[in-house]
Amino acid sequence: MARPELEALAHWVASVDVDVEDARLRERLFATMLDWSTALVAGIGHPLFEPYKHALTTPGEVGQASLAGLPIKQPAVAAMAFNAAVSHFHEVDDAHRTSTSHPGITVIPVVMTLAELERLDARTVASAIVAGFETIIRVGSHLGAGHYEVSHTTATAGSFGAAAAAARALGLNAQQTLWALGHAGTQASGLWQFLDDKATAAKAFHVATAVRNGLAAARMAQVGIAGAEHILEGPRGMRRAWRLEGCDVAWLTPGDTPMIHDVTIKGWPVCGQMHSALDCAQALYERDPARCRQVKRVRVELPASALAIAGITEPESLAEAKFSTAFCISAMLCGRAPDFLGFSQELLEDPTIRRFMRRVEVVESAEFSARFPRERPARVKLESDEGETVVEERSLRRGDPEAPWSRAELEARAAGVLSLSACAIDTAGLVNWCEALAAQSDRWSAQALFAMIPHVAGEERS
């Protein structure tokens, strides 16, 4: 049988070692950790926090792993699944264009739990994070847009990313890492049907499942249980099962620059498929607020994928509103930006926005569909009663690697994300914790993060 297509990636994951002297990678790790940790804290107090707590944890069960916002400790699997889900509640976590995935939420919770249990040093943690990001991004990009049409890549490729991160954190060799990827592929699942059935609250469960899959896969390989080495390309592998064609095998071979550098840090707390359109609408509003409010028609042109994922027309909840391009564009043009501070129940219930939505048409652009997922193109057209048209267009989003946040902007963004939380946290302390990881400080620890996060009122220690 031919050499496994994942072999080169498995070797890379097993050997990657982050160099603290790499200033660019150090800055990216800082941004990555700040993005994820603020998303985690923001999820505390979200309406889904309590339901997910009851679903993913077991009362009275005691472990050694911390859960954000709770004064209890649980076994590793429950803790990392819970933390992963919580960090996805507000849709403020990172994203990657070509793989159409959220890498951080499927990688970092696994590493943080293992770091706490195994007392891992910062260098091992940083290396495991880089390994996990490389894997979810490369596998997700390999599976392609056809896979994303039906499957939630964050859940499917995310199982691979979590497995790779766990494998590197646990010190697995290349053969064991390849087996772990095979075990991850056997478990990988996650379908978009929840959007069609208006079950958007289930989305974070995909992330919880991915991290559970990843740890289980690595543990299986660690004890010597072989996994399917040809899990992607085999006659009964994933591509055959999902009827995928045209998957570019070149994506599976790591290059000189880690893929973590290609991740987007989001500028809006909504589905990333509409961010370019929101950037357009924001520019139009800032240029002429009166024109935006009085416009007769609004035409939003997006790739087909955006309509499929972010095409909810009549959102009935905040969760659904995050996947409604028409609603979010209307809010922006009405002067009520759906940003970290403004996305609220009051926004959802604003009758002015609901009336404005009747003027908004969201359509596919064949040209933009052809450029997806390499780009996130969008065009917003405003048409007045007199027939005058104003157009704004974007190819990429604010926060994409081509348009990164500055350090000052990252810290300001962090404050905005943290404002979504039900608990207060020392922002400066959180920033320092992220910097300590990036700098591979001997004083860094995973426990320090959970010690900073206040507990939700009413919880009792087990």
Side-chain angles (χ1 to χ4, degrees):
M1 205 169 189
R3 295 178 68 177
E5 290 181 359
L6 284 169
E7 185 177 68
L9 182 57
H11 277 271
W12 190 93
V13 166
S15 61
V16 65
D17 188 20
V18 169
D19 184 0
V20 72
E21 300 302 321
D22 185 337
R24 181 171 176 242
L25 184 53
R26 173 173 168 166
E27 193 63 23
R28 170 51 69 169
L29 281 166
F30 167 79
T32 295
M33 296 306 291
L34 189 62
D35 175 79
W36 175 77
S37 60
T38 53
L40 177 71
V41 177
I44 299 171
H46 187 282
L48 291 175
F49 184 87
E50 283 293 315
Y52 269 78
K53 181 192 74 174
H54 291 299
L56 299 180
T57 67
T58 302
E61 191 168 33
V62 179
Q64 296 177 305
S66 298
L67 298 88
L70 299 178
I72 61 174
K73 289 195 173 186
Q74 292 254 301
V77 171
M80 67 175 58
F82 178 75
N83 291 333
V86 171
S87 58
H88 195 44
F89 287 160
H90 279 294
E91 292 283 342
V92 294
D93 48 291
D94 63 17
H96 181 262
R97 286 204 306 269
T98 309
S99 66
T100 54
S101 69
H102 298 275
I105 52 174
T106 63
V107 170
I108 302 175
V110 178
V111 181
M112 287 300 103
T113 295
L114 290 175
E116 184 177 20
L117 299 185
E118 305 288 339
R119 297 295 189 267
L120 302 179
D121 60 32
R123 184 164 188 160
T124 301
V125 168
S127 300
I129 290 169
V130 170
F133 270 67
E134 191 80 11
T135 303
I136 180 178
I137 290 171
R138 288 197 171 278
V139 172
S141 298
H142 167 75
L143 295 175
H147 174 68
Y148 183 70
E149 288 178 3
V150 175
S151 297
H152 187 192
T153 309
T154 299
T156 55
S159 294
F160 285 86
R168 179 61 184 85
L170 294 170
L172 272 58
N173 62 32
Q175 180 63 70
Q176 291 171 315
T177 301
L178 182 59
W179 290 343
L181 297 179
H183 291 309
T186 294
Q187 302 173 85
S189 62
L191 299 170
W192 282 121
Q193 184 59 38
F194 71 82
L195 287 177
D196 297 334
D197 291 341
K198 293 192 172 184
T200 50
K203 187 168 186 271
F205 181 55
H206 282 190
V207 188
T209 301
V211 298
R212 294 193 311 196
N213 290 345
L215 180 62
R219 291 293 195 195
M220 291 279 286
Q222 186 181 35
V223 299
I225 299 175
E229 297 182 0
H230 299 82
I231 191 65
L232 293 176
E233 73 276 19
R236 285 182 281 188
M238 294 172 70
R239 293 205 299 262
R240 178 70 181 275
W242 286 328
R243 293 181 172 83
L244 298 177
E245 297 180 357
C247 297
D248 186 357
V249 178
W251 271 111
L252 301 177
T253 302
D256 295 331
T257 304
M259 295 299 298
I260 194 172
H261 288 296
D262 291 350
V263 171
T264 295
I265 294 179
K266 297 168 70 174
W268 304 95
V270 300
C271 177
Q273 298 286 358
M274 70 174 85
H275 282 207
S276 296
L278 273 172
D279 291 343
C280 291
Q282 183 180 46
L284 289 166
Y285 184 82
E286 290 177 350
R287 192 178 307 146
D288 193 339
R291 181 199 294 271
C292 291
R293 293 192 185 97
Q294 297 165 9
V295 69
K296 180 180 180 180
R297 278 188 294 271
V298 180
R299 180 181 175 91
V300 182
E301 299 177 16
L302 292 167
S305 179
L307 274 67
I309 305 302
I312 292 177
T313 55
E314 293 293 337
E316 298 174 2
S317 66
L318 282 175
E320 290 183 2
K322 289 175 181 286
F323 293 88
S324 174
T325 300
F327 175 83
C328 292
I329 292 294
S330 296
M332 185 70 250
L333 296 178
C334 286
R336 299 204 60 186
D339 56 21
F340 302 118
L341 298 175
F343 210 96
S344 64
Q345 188 66 28
E346 182 190 2
L347 187 76
L348 179 69
E349 297 171 357
D350 188 330
T352 302
I353 296 173
R354 294 291 179 164
R355 288 193 296 270
F356 193 97
M357 287 176 67
R358 299 170 193 156
R359 312 180 206 175
V360 178
E361 178 187 29
V362 183
V363 299
E364 178 196 358
S365 162
E367 173 201 350
F368 290 172
S369 294
R371 288 158 58 185
F372 179 89
R374 298 183 310 278
E375 300 178 12
R376 287 292 189 271
R379 184 183 297 122
V380 177
K381 295 182 179 180
L382 306 183
E383 183 179 338
S384 68
D385 284 328
E386 294 76 27
E388 181 183 359
T389 300
V390 180
V391 180
E392 190 72 22
E393 184 172 336
R394 295 282 190 279
S395 295
L396 302 170
R397 303 166 292 191
R398 178 178 52 151
D400 274 342
E402 297 85 352
W405 304 85
S406 68
R407 174 63 77 99
E409 288 172 331
L410 278 173
E411 294 188 15
R413 177 189 178 278
V417 174
L418 291 172
S419 71
L420 298 170
S421 180
C423 63
I425 189 171
D426 177 9
T427 305
L430 189 61
V431 168
N432 290 337
W433 180 84
C434 296
E435 181 57 59
L437 183 279
Q440 298 179 11
S441 169
D442 292 340
R443 297 187 301 275
W444 182 88
S445 72
Q447 297 95 313
L449 171 64
F450 296 102
M452 273 189 283
I453 301 174
H455 297 151
V456 176
E459 289 291 339
E460 296 180 356
R461 293 185 180 274
S462 59

